[in-house]
Amino acid sequence: MARIKETFNSRAWFMLECDDHNCEQRFDDSQWYAYEDDLLTDAKDDGWQILYKDEHPELERDMHYCPAHRLPECATCTNIMIDSTGWKNGQCPECIKEEIPIERS
């Protein structure tokens, strides 16, 4: 489980671990959070990608990726490439279907 929960003095404390199989990075290895919402907010601010099962029905559980292992995002929208099927040139299948051009800078 990527979200680590420990109990100290009868109170739950939380930490995140990257879901990439080859990564052992945690947020933040030196500090446990008493409130899970604070942990998730601070992790996002630090570049962690947090995917919620409720928002991504194809996931079996919430997933967390450190800044080095974030999943690719669509070049034209906010979709995240959980499964590369149908993706082309960095665009998700929905943007390809809608023929949305990729803005190059």
Side-chain angles (χ1 to χ4, degrees):
M1 180 65 85
R3 205 170 302 173
I4 302 168
K5 178 180 174 182
E6 286 287 332
T7 304
F8 301 108
N9 298 328
S10 301
R11 186 165 185 190
W13 293 82
F14 301 92
M15 185 184 297
L16 282 183
E17 201 172 48
C18 183
D19 271 305
D20 186 278
H21 298 292
N22 299 316
C23 183
E24 295 180 10
Q25 188 168 348
R26 292 181 175 179
F27 180 87
D28 166 8
D29 211 52
S30 63
Q31 183 174 353
W32 289 82
Y33 283 73
Y35 300 102
E36 194 170 8
D37 289 341
D38 291 344
L39 168 71
L40 297 174
T41 299
D42 288 353
K44 281 184 181 180
D45 290 346
D46 201 41
W48 281 65
Q49 186 179 57
I50 300 171
L51 307 176
Y52 297 102
K53 179 179 135 180
D54 296 348
E55 297 170 3
H56 301 279
E58 63 274 20
L59 296 177
E60 295 179 15
R61 62 181 176 83
D62 293 347
M63 304 289 282
H64 316 91
Y65 294 95
C66 72
H69 296 107
R70 292 173 61 97
L71 298 178
E73 297 177 14
C74 179
T76 53
C77 74
T78 59
N79 286 340
I80 297 170
M81 188 190 301
I82 296 170
D83 177 7
S84 62
T85 305
W87 285 66
K88 182 179 175 187
N89 296 327
Q91 273 191 310
C92 69
E94 291 84 10
C95 288
I96 294 169
K97 180 180 175 185
E98 295 294 323
E99 298 180 358
I100 299 172
I102 299 173
E103 295 292 325
R104 301 279 184 205
S105 47

